[in-house]
Amino acid sequence: MKKIFMICALLMASVSVMAQDNTEPLETIYQRFAFTLFNKVAEDGNKNVILSPLSAQIALSMVQNGAANNTLAEIQEAMGTTGYTNEQVNAYNQQLAEQLTYRPPFNYTPSPYQTEEEARQQYEAAYPICEIANGVWSMPDIPLYDSYKNLLTTHYNAEVDNVDFGTQEGIDHINGWVNEKTHQLIPFILNEPNPNISVLLANALYFKGSWSEPFDPHDTQTELFYLADGKTINVDMMQTDMKFRSTTTGQFNTLTIPYGYRDFSMTFFLPTENYSIPQLTYEDWFAAINAPYKGKKLKMPKFEIDGDYNLTNIFQSLGMDEAFCPGADFSQLSEVAVWIDQVFQSGKITVDEKGTEAAAVTVIEMTSGVQEPSTEAFTVDHPFYFTIEYLPTHTILFMGRMMEISSSAGSQQGIRNITATPETNHHIYDLQGRQLHNAPAKGVYIQDGKIFIVR
């Protein structure tokens, strides 16, 4: 009953916060922003992508509360929320977070037919986990206005604290928060102390869901996956046969797989041309999530993707120029003049026979002075897109593109690891261009002009 009430409340809020100039509902604006951001990140058509538009939206919404005048207007323009007040956006985000993260309490009635552990496993499978965490930290000499801190704690349940980013202790505090909130999927977000960070805002989004009908591991077989260049590799291909929402748009065959009690789902967009990967559009996604049910013999690979993305240039290209300049107006945040130095996101997703686990962290660094037809085949055996959405409001939590996949069955999936040693670190730099003088920790680095990953 509480779930129904929350859905109704959010839908009513979406209608009530529509601007007077017939601006689209915020849920539609968030959906369109998701595709704008994703396609900007995915412009390099040869790489795997895992991104959380919702994480970026929440992080930007938090920083938006500290902006004023033209800086505020540019952030609203980039997010598509022009015509809405901060109060309206905050209220929507708060209600959306409550709805996404709600799970009914676990109850067990002793029974000779089911143990408590079996009942708990059934409960976990039925109700996917979605967790949202927010935080804002500032250097001790950068006092944040109480009004700003109260907004973030009230509407975003944010952790607000002072941290000295120039110390290892401060960096460990932020990385510990990230590690905890993503359930160890993303163990850290900052590489080393950086006294130039004055204020840091972060959103962490975590999702774990079991398929409504899990794949039988015994049906998983080694089969071919066709890469965009026409080459083939062997992958672990899962299989099942049932009814799914499925349709064909102009450039994609689509199929939606539900999680648990079907409030969440993952939608696949398989290009109709095997060796091409056209741009995914809002219209493709909208058609897919409203498609009719069809019998399908589904084959899809187990896969894992992780990625790190600097979103700074992307948001600047969307019109957020002033926010990244010393003249930015964040006068609602602190009496100290601050501006955004960079925005970046880390994400990871794992898909197997049981379901999906995914996490993303978006960080904003600020400095001072995210009917039954016959059964047909749907074989995911070439590059594809996917989304994870919350169906009652069609909020897009994650978006991704799979271009490459590990070639041997049973081997570790995902980005390959390159190990750096102390003897080779004299040409190693972090993503901010700072040379490292010690063996690098886990993260993404540049060595001799090439990007590599240390796990």
Side-chain angles (χ1 to χ4, degrees):
M1 187 68 184
K2 182 178 179 182
K3 184 82 165 181
I4 296 174
F5 173 78
M6 292 174 65
I7 293 173
C8 293
L10 186 58
L11 293 176
M12 291 172 64
S14 178
V15 174
S16 65
V17 300
M18 286 183 66
Q20 298 301 313
D21 59 353
N22 295 321
T23 300
E24 288 183 312
L26 279 171
E27 64 181 57
T28 305
I29 289 173
Y30 277 35
Q31 294 161 8
R32 292 190 182 279
F33 173 83
F35 286 88
T36 298
L37 181 62
F38 179 79
N39 284 319
K40 288 281 188 179
V41 172
E43 283 182 349
D44 183 346
N46 297 313
K47 294 181 179 179
N48 295 339
V49 177
I50 175 60
L51 186 77
S52 174
L54 179 60
S55 178
Q57 286 163 327
I58 294 175
L60 279 176
S61 294
M62 290 196 295
V63 80
Q64 175 180 308
N65 280 278
N69 299 313
N70 188 59
T71 300
L72 172 60
E74 287 186 351
I75 295 174
Q76 292 172 325
E77 178 68 23
M79 294 181 66
T81 56
T82 300
Y84 287 92
T85 65
N86 285 349
E87 291 76 15
Q88 291 171 325
V89 173
N90 292 338
Y92 181 81
N93 286 338
Q94 182 178 2
Q95 292 168 341
L96 179 60
E98 290 172 355
Q99 185 180 2
L100 287 171
T101 59
Y102 174 75
R103 299 176 91 200
F106 170 72
N107 292 309
Y108 173 68
T109 302
S111 167
Y113 306 106
Q114 187 180 49
T115 66
E116 183 174 356
E117 180 60 26
E118 289 171 338
R120 184 173 295 278
Q121 291 177 357
Q122 186 178 36
Y123 167 83
E124 294 293 336
Y127 298 102
I129 299 171
C130 182
E131 297 175 354
I132 298 173
N134 299 301
V136 57
W137 302 270
S138 63
M139 289 286 263
D141 60 344
I142 306 291
L144 303 180
Y145 288 129
D146 288 341
S147 57
Y148 180 71
K149 292 189 289 186
N150 290 337
L151 275 173
L152 296 195
T153 55
T154 299
H155 295 290
Y156 296 88
N157 195 29
E159 174 182 323
V160 180
D161 203 353
N162 293 126
V163 166
D164 187 346
F165 299 103
T167 66
Q168 189 61 47
E169 181 182 4
I171 298 305
D172 289 344
H173 177 82
I174 302 300
N175 287 337
W177 183 89
V178 168
N179 186 50
E180 175 190 354
K181 301 305 181 183
T182 63
H183 295 250
Q184 293 76 54
L185 280 189
I186 301 174
F188 70 96
I189 197 75
L190 300 177
N191 293 321
E192 60 184 17
N194 181 2
N196 293 322
I197 300 177
S198 298
V199 180
L200 185 143
L201 299 98
N203 166 269
L205 178 63
Y206 175 79
F207 174 83
K208 184 175 183 179
S210 299
W211 305 122
S212 298
E213 298 289 340
F215 292 81
D216 186 341
H218 296 98
D219 292 334
T220 299
Q221 299 178 2
T222 301
E223 296 193 16
L224 292 179
F225 186 92
Y226 297 82
L227 302 177
D229 61 5
K231 296 179 181 178
T232 61
I233 57 175
N234 292 321
V235 300
D236 291 338
M237 194 74 78
M238 305 181 294
Q239 303 184 52
T240 191
D241 189 343
M242 57 182 289
K243 286 186 177 180
F244 301 94
R245 286 192 181 274
S246 184
T247 190
T248 298
T249 66
Q251 303 180 92
F252 298 97
N253 293 317
T254 77
L255 183 141
T256 297
I257 310 177
Y259 297 100
Y261 280 162
R262 299 175 179 267
D263 274 354
F264 294 89
S265 64
M266 172 179 268
T267 301
F268 288 88
F269 300 83
L270 191 66
T272 52
E273 297 292 332
N274 286 9
Y275 306 124
S276 69
I277 187 78
Q279 189 176 80
L280 184 64
T281 68
Y282 168 81
E283 289 72 23
D284 292 319
W285 174 78
F286 189 82
I289 63 171
N290 291 287
Y293 284 92
K294 299 178 181 178
K296 292 287 182 179
K297 181 177 178 56
L298 171 63
K299 294 183 179 181
M300 58 175 282
K302 298 165 59 175
F303 65 90
E304 179 180 298
I305 308 173
D306 54 25
D308 299 276
Y309 312 100
N310 192 323
L311 305 178
T312 304
N313 292 337
I314 290 176
F315 285 117
Q316 289 175 322
S317 73
L318 295 176
M320 279 177 56
D321 293 319
E322 188 171 282
F324 293 91
C325 298
D329 187 347
F330 286 103
S331 56
Q332 305 303 303
L333 187 149
S334 172
E335 63 184 18
V336 178
V338 296
W339 61 94
I340 299 175
D341 181 41
Q342 61 176 340
V343 182
F344 55 93
Q345 185 179 117
S346 292
K348 183 172 183 177
I349 187 170
T350 301
V351 176
D352 60 19
E353 288 92 348
K354 294 180 180 179
T356 302
E357 186 175 27
V361 175
T362 302
V363 167
I364 299 177
E365 289 185 0
M366 304 187 77
T367 189
S368 57
V370 173
Q371 279 223 310
E372 198 159 322
S374 58
T375 299
E376 302 173 354
F378 190 98
T379 302
V380 185
D381 62 355
H382 53 277
F384 57 88
Y385 293 104
F386 60 87
T387 61
I388 295 179
E389 50 271 324
Y390 179 66
L391 292 178
T393 58
H394 293 144
T395 300
I396 300 173
L397 282 70
F398 295 90
M399 301 179 73
R401 179 180 65 198
M402 172 59 75
M403 295 294 297
E404 299 178 355
I405 195 165
S406 296
S407 60
S408 58
S411 65
Q412 181 179 4
Q413 305 290 312
I415 299 176
R416 296 175 181 172
N417 304 322
I418 300 177
T419 302
T421 63
E423 292 74 19
T424 63
N425 72 357
H426 58 284
H427 290 303
I428 299 177
Y429 300 84
D430 65 18
L431 295 182
Q432 299 179 30
R434 298 185 295 255
Q435 185 173 353
L436 304 188
H437 300 289
N438 298 304
K442 296 178 180 179
V444 181
Y445 301 93
I446 299 174
Q447 180 178 9
D448 298 330
K450 299 180 179 179
I451 294 177
F452 72 93
I453 294 173
V454 177
R455 290 187 184 276

